[in-house]
Amino acid sequence: MPKPVAALAVVCLLAAAAGAQAQTPPVPAPTVPPTKTVRLLATGGTIAGAGQGPGASYRAGVVPIGDILRAVPGLGDVANVTAEQIANVGSYDVDEAIWRKLLDRIQVALADPQVSGVIITHGTDTLEETAYFLSLATPSTKPVVVVGSMRPGTAVSADGPQNLLDAVRVATADDARNRGAMVVMNDTIFDPRSVTKFDVRRVNAFAAPSRGPIGDVLTERPRFFAQAEPHDAALPVKGDTLPRVAIAYGYAGVRAEDIRAAASGARALVIAGVGAGSLSAGARQAVKELTAAGIPVVRTARQGVGDIWYNPAATGDLSDDALGTIAGRELTPAKARILLMLALQTPRSRNDLQALFDRYGVAGP
């Protein structure tokens, strides 16, 4: 064979081999079984919601947890997730009975050496309240992550699958140990003491305006901004029923009888006061009557943002000493109610209650 022809043949063979190599599909990498197990407790909410189409109208708490898990791509590569349906309701229907059932199942899961962490799927309306309750009633050793969504699974660009995947990543992260209960929403990790829902529609509805978030989930590995603070259950649940605590809302023209009516039949009262937890003259008169009768009253801010600290005697009849009240610190009225419910399981003085609000009503060190 003449040399030019031989050379051409070699080139053709090399090209064919290269083409064949290019067309050969890559060998898939072997799947490594996840090494951690997460226990998921489902309660319903928008993350379990469904509508007739991709629009905004839907009903919360209708999709079973098994269907929700199957809608999250790659979840099984992150952790072994075992699930239990505790309830399937909109979180406007979450009550003490559901809290107690959750707490019982969480305690069982935390005692299991095979479980790395617990996740609770929850509606966003009262998500922050459940998370705060659990932060007080459970120890911090293993993470307890509360997660929800602002859009149902039937919506275009539903946020539930990503939020749930982020929650699993947080619950299995080594850095999440000793942090106790946390909220994960929209790539962000929050302390239950400081997080609150600020918008009724948008996916970035949750924020912590006084303190900011404690971490984020922008990659496969969650990032925390500060060291963990290990703790035991601050206020374990005792007995069959928690003390009833009511909330009164402050506004221009609120009268003494409005405060008395709100407190009727309650063991304690939280007032969502105007400004920095301020009360009208009529409200102050009713509050003095209540505290003189041994009913604890906590001042909070109706806007839910800011530190309501102790008013000193120099403020005269507005002072907490004059009113016999307790400063609610950074807690929203709803969270102040929860702290009081748990605290009043044991007889406590006003000074004792103030010390609890100074400790558990302020996020961070």
Side-chain angles (χ1 to χ4, degrees), residues 12 16 18-19 66 102 110 128 134 150 212 268 295 301 315 345 351 357-358:
C12 290
L102 267 178
L110 294 180
E128 64 198 73
L134 295 175
M150 293 300 295
I295 297 176
T315 56
Q345 295 177 104
N351 287 340
F357 274 85
D358 290 340

Side-chain angles (χ1 to χ4, degrees), residues 39-43 82-84 86 102 105-106 118-121:
R39 186 65 173 161
L40 191 151
L41 306 174
T43 66
T82 62
E84 179 180 349
I86 299 296
L102 267 178
R105 301 309 299 159
I106 288 170
V118 178
I119 294 172
I120 295 105
T121 55

